[in-house]
Structures are given as C-alpha cells and as structure tokens.
Amino acid sequence: VQLVESGGGLVQPGGSLRLSCVASGRRFSSDVMAWFRQAPGKRRELVAAISWGGSTRYTDLEKGRLTISRDDTENTLYLQMNDLKPEDTAVYYCAADTRSTIWTLTPSSVDYWGQGTQVTVSA
C-alpha cells in the first residue's frame, strides 16, 4: 500500500496550492482520509479529514481557507489551500484510517501514511 503526495512547494503569502495524494495497493473508498502537517519542532497535527460519504472536518484555524476532497474513482485525495500564511509552512502528510471516524482519528490511529510533501510559505 502506498500513499504518494504531490503539489507542495514554495509559495508567497496569500498564494494557493493544491496538494494531491494518490493511493495504490488498496481501495480507500470506505475509509476516512485526511491531511496532517508537521512543522519543525512541533507535533504532527490534523489539518482536515473526509469520510467515505463526503463529510468533512477542519481545524478551526483552517476553516474557510482549505478544502479537502476525494475522488474515489481515481483513489485520490486533494487539499486546496488558499490565502496561505507563513505559519502554514510544514510537511503535509496524506493519511488513511480504516477504523476511525473523522471525529475520532488521531495521528496514532492512522493506518497508512504518505511520505510527506513540503509546503513553504515565504516572501
């Protein structure tokens, strides 16, 4: 099973990025998918999650700036990020959780992780 992220990079404050995560080796259409991020010296934290039915969860800080979506026909997860801020700088990880809901998943409950993609927001 592999989760492969792409779409990270360097962007100026106020800019946008769209992250993608392609899954292979297993179908995740019945599972919760999520994006986490980890900044240097900080814990890995949840950014957004989406259920198999399309219900979504965002952290309060991200609401309005981020949109998580999934295309189960392509086994792909997306994260559209707008109005990016320097504090959004982190490695962003795609995750799949086969047992939790969008409200109960934590970094320790995740079953599959991607390798991460760096997002840097700087002028």
Side-chain angles (χ1 to χ4, degrees), residues 11 29 39 45 54 56 61 84 88 96 104 106 117-118:
V11 63
S29 55
E45 62 179 6
T56 56
L61 289 176
L84 283 161
D88 295 317
T104 61
T106 65
T117 184
Q118 177 71 46

Side-chain angles (χ1 to χ4, degrees), residues 34-89:
W35 290 96
F36 288 78
R37 70 184 181 190
Q38 188 166 18
K42 295 190 175 182
R43 299 179 307 171
R44 192 169 296 190
E45 62 179 6
L46 176 68
V47 175
I50 185 167
S51 72
W52 64 270
S55 298
T56 56
R57 170 190 175 187
Y58 299 93
T59 61
D60 288 341
L61 289 176
E62 313 308 333
K63 230 176 254 188
R65 297 194 299 123
L66 305 185
T67 303
I68 188 172
S69 60
R70 62 194 295 167
D71 183 345
D72 290 329
T73 63
E74 299 291 334
N75 226 22
T76 302
L77 179 71
Y78 300 100
L79 184 67
Q80 177 68 41
M81 303 191 293
N82 299 323
D83 190 24
L84 283 161
K85 306 175 188 302
E87 50 265 41
D88 295 317
T89 295

